[in-house]
Amino acid sequence: MDELLVTLTRGNRTTHARVGGRSATTPLPWHEAAGDTVRRLHAALGMWALRLHALYSPKLPDSTDPTGWFQSPPDFTADVESLAAWLLDHPTWMAQHPAAADLFADITSVIATAWRVIDHAPDRWYAGPCSVEDCTGQVFGDPNTATGSCSVCHHIYDMARRRAFLLDAARDYALTAAELSRALPVLLGIMINRKTVTTWAHRGILIAVDHDDRHGWPLYRLGDVEVLVLRKLGVRDVVAR
């Protein structure tokens, strides 16, 4: 998980244009594959912890309920490390579960995917799914070169065009200020400080379109922030998308 989170927030050594002051932390690129893998890993561990708990956790006596009650289950909103620790505390339950083979396959599969993502991270940008018909691959490219390639069919892509493709697809996404500060260096090639986004919001020139379910943080449409960023850089003839 440490390596996966480093991949998710890999520092960007670009010298592109900047909007807002220099952040106290290094601007971070948006690594879609790593984020998806974290979610898959959490879901797999949580699902199997729930199944093991339902089948094997002993019931404790309860004077008010003759059927007894289960001891506290694992916290399924916890992080990946906590869920993994709970599973490792119950090796016998895992081994004797009727679907032990499925448990093994699910968890080892998503872990293998995580290692592949980690191995790609230091030198490669994620640039979306392959556009070749029937190909299930993903496009990655070295940030220091003009081209990238599909991980499956090896079709070559122009990275500038792929970045434009991703930007067009992402304009309607609603993201937090922190997420925008990671996404825009990749999608626009422009640095933006998280505080700049929140300042625009406080001044009323950027309106939140929603709020994050977990923390209640305001979410801003990426396309709206793009317009403000380009205007800040002097690109006045920007059409709101």
Side-chain angles (χ1 to χ4, degrees):
M1 275 303 298
D2 288 342
E3 291 290 339
L4 198 55
L5 291 176
V6 167
T7 300
L8 182 63
T9 58
R10 178 69 62 182
N12 183 10
R13 295 175 293 176
T14 183
T15 57
H16 292 307
R18 176 184 299 277
V19 173
R22 182 176 294 276
S23 172
T25 58
T26 304
L28 304 172
W30 183 17
H31 198 293
E32 184 83 11
D36 180 63
T37 301
V38 170
R39 291 188 290 270
R40 288 180 56 199
L41 190 56
H42 187 277
L45 297 182
M47 176 188 71
W48 284 108
L50 178 62
R51 290 186 179 183
L52 291 170
H53 170 72
L55 189 59
Y56 295 116
S57 287
K59 284 189 173 183
L60 302 179
D62 181 353
S63 58
T64 64
D65 183 355
T67 64
W69 52 280
F70 280 117
Q71 61 179 326
S72 299
D75 183 357
F76 298 110
T77 64
D79 55 29
V80 167
E81 294 91 336
S82 299
L83 288 169
W86 188 92
L87 287 168
L88 290 172
D89 282 340
H90 301 91
T92 303
W93 291 2
M94 288 193 285
Q96 69 188 18
H97 193 280
D102 291 335
L103 181 155
F104 177 81
D106 286 351
I107 293 179
T108 55
S109 174
V110 73
I111 288 174
T113 299
W115 279 117
R116 287 195 297 271
V117 169
I118 290 166
D119 289 342
H120 283 152
D123 301 312
R124 309 181 82 189
W125 291 116
Y126 174 70
C130 181
S131 300
V132 174
E133 186 175 0
D134 296 329
C135 181
T136 59
Q138 306 294 319
V139 179
F140 293 89
D142 186 323
N144 296 316
T145 63
T147 61
S149 64
C150 171
S151 58
V152 174
C153 72
H154 306 297
H155 183 76
I156 301 298
Y157 289 89
D158 179 283
M159 289 302 287
R161 291 183 179 179
R162 292 299 296 185
R163 183 170 285 145
F165 163 77
L166 288 177
L167 175 60
D168 189 56
R171 283 193 175 101
D172 286 327
Y173 275 69
L175 305 173
T176 66
E179 289 169 335
L180 286 162
S181 73
R182 295 194 294 267
L184 287 171
V186 176
L187 299 176
L188 268 182
I190 297 172
M191 296 298 187
I192 180 169
N193 193 322
R194 172 183 58 82
K195 292 182 179 179
T196 301
V197 177
T198 57
T199 297
W200 286 338
H202 291 155
R203 291 177 179 174
I205 60 176
L206 178 64
I207 306 299
V209 296
D210 205 344
H211 288 80
D212 175 71
D213 290 337
R214 185 174 180 182
H215 301 288
W217 293 331
L219 301 174
Y220 308 99
R221 182 176 172 273
L222 188 144
D224 295 339
V225 178
E226 176 198 5
V227 170
L228 293 172
V229 167
L230 295 179
R231 286 177 177 166
K232 183 76 172 179
L233 291 173
V235 184
R236 298 294 179 181
D237 298 327
V238 179
V239 178
R241 297 170 175 87

